[in-house]
Amino acid sequence: MYDNEVSLTPGMRHYIQKNKEYLDQRTEYIRSVVKKWKFDTIAVHGLYSVQDAIEDYQGSIIEPIFMSTSQAFRDSDEMAAALAYLIPSWTYSRIANPSTYYYEWTLALLEGYGFDGETSCCSTSSGMAAIMTAVQPFLMHIRHNTNESRNFLATAQCYGGTFQQFNVRLAQERDIECRWIEDPTNLDEWASKIDENTRFLYGELPSNPQLGFFDIRAVADLAHAHNLPLIVDSTVATPALLRPICHGADLVVQSSTKTLSSSGFGICGGVIARKGIVTSIPNEQLKNDFALYIKYLPNRDYGPNLHPMQAITTLNDMRTLRSKVDLMSRNTMRVAGYLEEHPMVESVQYLGLRNHPLHELASRYLWLVDAEHDDLYGKPVNRYGHLMSFCVRGGVEKTRKVFDGLQRIWRATDLGRIKSVATIPAISTHQQQGEEGRRLAHIPSNLIRLCVGAEHPDDIIADLDQALHQAR
Ligand SMILES: *Cc1c(COP(=O)(O)O)cnc(C)c1O
């Protein structure tokens, strides 16, 4: 993994040998135990075992919160081996930490649930940091001392922060062309925008806030035919509903801030990669284990690392992911059904509604994980998450009136919460990208984004009902 040649002392060889046994045991434990568990069991335990607890953490049943900058070593040999990444160690919290380690493994295993190959994860300080650190390595200059032109493709319907990162930070400031895909269900549009300078394909789905969707398998196949990776922002779906790596994606980025940690305690992200990604970048480490590569090299040097306290609070939230996403999806379906019938509502966008143009496509991909092993269902069931939006009849003013009339639903630029939250994207999350950017992303000014939480849906419907009534 390391850039430099390292000469080994006998002491270093001793540590490497000792740790090889540990690594072999871990690989075997994952293969023969963890990979056989159901989704919920992985979410609850991840890689933290009774053995880990007893041997290393005084029996603590909860993963350690190691609020410590750095690790002490037995001697210079162990230090040299650790710093050359020759033995598993955590060294310094900008590079690794026992708390972030357990968070990373759980996320890697959940995104890799049902996938034949291996997955790994690099934690990041936020969802935006996950996106930045996932795309940057593909933008490196391959030919030196040339004015090499570089471009990438991305779905125009995406999170406002992503739009700004691609459009301003990369395109305007660094002259790296972002080719927006306006209709991601149209494979010809993707295909026509790829050329020899394209570095990756990027897609968000379901997109925030307008619930864009695309055929992951088809776009992944197209990317791979050009020796390019497909990166998917799967924040809204979470691995409880969709695992893009199982459908051919190379990398997944998560804003774990959102649905993965519904409690809302803090900002957190992750990049999850399958081992052996497809790319034209001539770097074997990057290809073989992308997440480990960014963790050990670029992210060590840039430092967008996750705090151990936040890693464990997020990990703790993730334990009940499947049942929470199921509940919040069902609640959202109820609320969407209510809004659809309301005379003051112009339109409702929710992938679960039969008349949504992307309902059929989304239904091929969005399944509640393990529903077939659940007493309640006993068969596969579709669930569509808890992001929806609706347009209010009567323009911006009426829209603001409805919004301002909400009493139980929180007005905030947030989503994925256990509490229902609403926002008007045109004046908040998608304000900065301007009118043209919003047109590209299909965001009208009378659109309210609503994320339904775990309250009883009757109470959320009652709140919407009084707000709509007031605004008449
Ligand atoms: C919020 C969000 C992000 C950014 O995540 P942060 O954790 O806020 O940095 C990226 N993608 C999507 C879809 C989001 O909703």
Side-chain angles (χ1 to χ4, degrees):
M1 181 48 77
Y2 209 49
D3 307 339
N4 305 323
E5 282 289 314
V6 199
S7 55
L8 301 181
T9 64
M12 287 166 77
R13 284 183 210 282
H14 160 76
Y15 282 114
I16 294 168
Q17 186 49 37
K18 218 176 86 188
N19 281 287
K20 191 176 168 311
E21 286 158 27
Y22 163 80
L23 281 176
D24 290 345
Q25 263 181 25
R26 186 180 74 181
T27 307
E28 183 54 23
Y29 178 66
I30 294 169
R31 199 186 60 77
S32 64
V33 180
V34 182
K35 277 280 196 180
K36 294 197 169 140
W37 284 339
K38 299 282 187 295
F39 188 90
D40 282 342
T41 312
I42 295 173
V44 170
H45 293 283
L47 225 53
Y48 190 63
S49 63
V50 174
Q51 192 186 346
D52 281 12
I54 303 281
E55 286 179 4
D56 295 331
Y57 305 119
Q58 304 199 13
S60 170
I61 69 165
I62 300 299
E63 294 81 350
I65 301 180
F66 268 29
M67 300 241 292
S68 170
T69 49
S70 41
Q71 174 187 13
F73 297 104
R74 290 172 179 83
D75 52 30
S76 61
D77 284 323
E78 191 183 33
M79 179 185 260
L83 272 291
Y85 299 139
L86 295 170
I87 57 172
S89 57
W90 60 278
T91 306
Y92 188 65
S93 279
R94 172 155 43 72
I95 305 168
N97 173 282
S99 307
T100 55
Y101 170 86
Y102 288 110
Y103 160 77
E104 284 165 346
W105 266 105
T106 300
L107 195 49
L109 290 162
L110 293 182
E111 286 289 358
Y113 187 70
F115 175 61
D116 275 346
E118 287 177 65
T119 48
S120 56
C121 168
C122 173
S123 57
T124 56
S125 55
S126 68
M128 292 318 302
I131 296 168
M132 179 187 74
T133 58
V135 305
Q136 290 291 352
F138 299 109
L139 300 173
M140 64 169 80
H141 279 291
I142 302 177
R143 296 184 294 277
H144 291 280
N145 307 318
T146 55
N147 275 336
E148 194 175 5
S149 79
R150 292 159 291 170
N151 71 68
F152 60 96
L153 278 45
T155 53
Q157 289 188 42
C158 65
Y159 177 66
T162 309
F163 193 94
Q164 292 299 102
Q165 186 181 114
F166 290 174
N167 215 39
V168 181
R169 305 276 95 80
L170 293 180
Q172 289 174 27
E173 293 183 356
R174 289 180 54 202
D175 214 18
I176 298 166
E177 190 189 352
C178 174
R179 300 182 170 171
W180 292 114
I181 303 295
E182 292 199 47
D183 176 9
T185 61
N186 179 357
L187 263 200
D188 293 338
E189 186 182 347
W190 289 96
S192 69
K193 289 182 173 166
I194 298 176
D195 65 23
E196 72 280 8
N197 295 320
T198 304
R199 295 300 180 83
F200 61 86
L201 276 53
Y202 181 99
E204 181 178 318
L205 90 177
S207 72
N208 165 11
Q210 269 293 44
L211 301 156
F213 211 87
F214 58 89
D215 186 340
I216 306 173
R217 173 58 68 185
V219 176
D221 288 347
L222 175 72
H224 296 165
H226 290 85
N227 205 20
L228 299 171
L230 172 65
I231 306 172
V232 174
D233 182 339
S234 188
T235 296
V236 171
T238 82
L241 300 183
L242 174 69
R243 291 167 304 288
I245 289 173
C246 296
H247 303 288
D250 297 274
L251 305 179
V252 169
V253 290
Q254 279 287 351
S255 166
S256 318
T257 314
K258 307 291 172 50
T259 313
L260 279 172
S261 61
S262 51
S263 64
F265 281 164
I267 306 293
C268 179
V271 179
I272 305 94
R274 70 182 162 87
K275 300 270 177 84
I277 63 165
V278 179
T279 173
S280 51
I281 302 291
N283 180 321
E284 288 309 309
Q285 297 168 348
L286 177 154
K287 267 186 216 172
N288 293 341
D289 191 339
F290 184 88
L292 200 67
Y293 166 79
I294 59 172
K295 184 173 183 58
Y296 278 174
L297 299 171
N299 287 18
R300 174 199 64 189
D301 301 337
Y302 291 125
N305 61 311
L306 178 61
H307 192 277
M309 179 80 198
Q310 187 57 48
I312 298 299
T313 52
T314 307
L315 177 67
N316 207 40
D317 276 337
M318 280 159 42
R319 300 189 213 275
T320 48
L321 181 69
R322 194 183 77 94
S323 46
K324 274 188 298 204
V325 169
D326 182 24
L327 175 66
M328 299 195 290
S329 300
R330 283 186 284 131
N331 290 350
T332 310
M333 195 69 176
R334 282 274 307 276
V335 173
Y338 158 80
L339 286 171
E340 223 187 0
E341 299 297 314
H342 200 285
M344 282 185 62
V345 174
E346 189 178 279
S347 62
V348 179
Q349 287 82 40
Y350 185 54
L351 292 170
L353 296 176
R354 279 180 199 287
N355 60 7
H356 192 287
L358 297 171
H359 175 74
E360 257 178 54
L361 177 62
S363 301
R364 277 176 29 211
Y365 283 103
L366 298 175
W367 297 95
L368 177 67
V369 64
D370 283 346
E372 63 275 26
H373 303 296
D374 190 319
D375 271 359
L376 269 178
Y377 305 116
K379 63 175 194 322
V381 294
N382 284 118
R383 287 286 178 260
Y384 301 91
H386 65 145
L387 181 85
M388 60 164 291
S389 53
F390 62 100
C391 291
V392 178
R393 238 184 256 291
V396 188
E397 230 169 278
K398 274 272 195 297
T399 308
R400 286 203 186 203
K401 239 182 167 170
V402 173
F403 186 68
D404 292 342
L406 297 171
Q407 291 176 353
R408 189 89 323 95
I409 299 168
W410 300 83
R411 281 173 290 277
T413 59
D414 202 356
L415 69 91
R417 296 287 79 91
I418 196 88
K419 302 179 176 194
S420 294
V421 175
T423 187
I424 300 179
I427 59 165
S428 58
T429 50
H430 293 69
Q431 177 265 327
Q432 288 176 26
Q433 69 198 58
E435 195 115 353
E436 174 57 17
R438 285 195 293 275
R439 186 198 60 75
L440 266 178
H442 308 285
I443 299 169
S445 52
N446 65 335
L447 178 103
I448 295 179
R449 181 185 80 191
L450 174 62
C451 265
V452 181
E455 303 95 337
H456 195 287
D458 287 352
D459 295 323
I460 294 309
I461 289 171
D463 192 21
L464 287 163
D465 203 58
Q466 64 78 27
L468 285 160
H469 186 79
Q470 260 189 57
R472 263 180 322 165

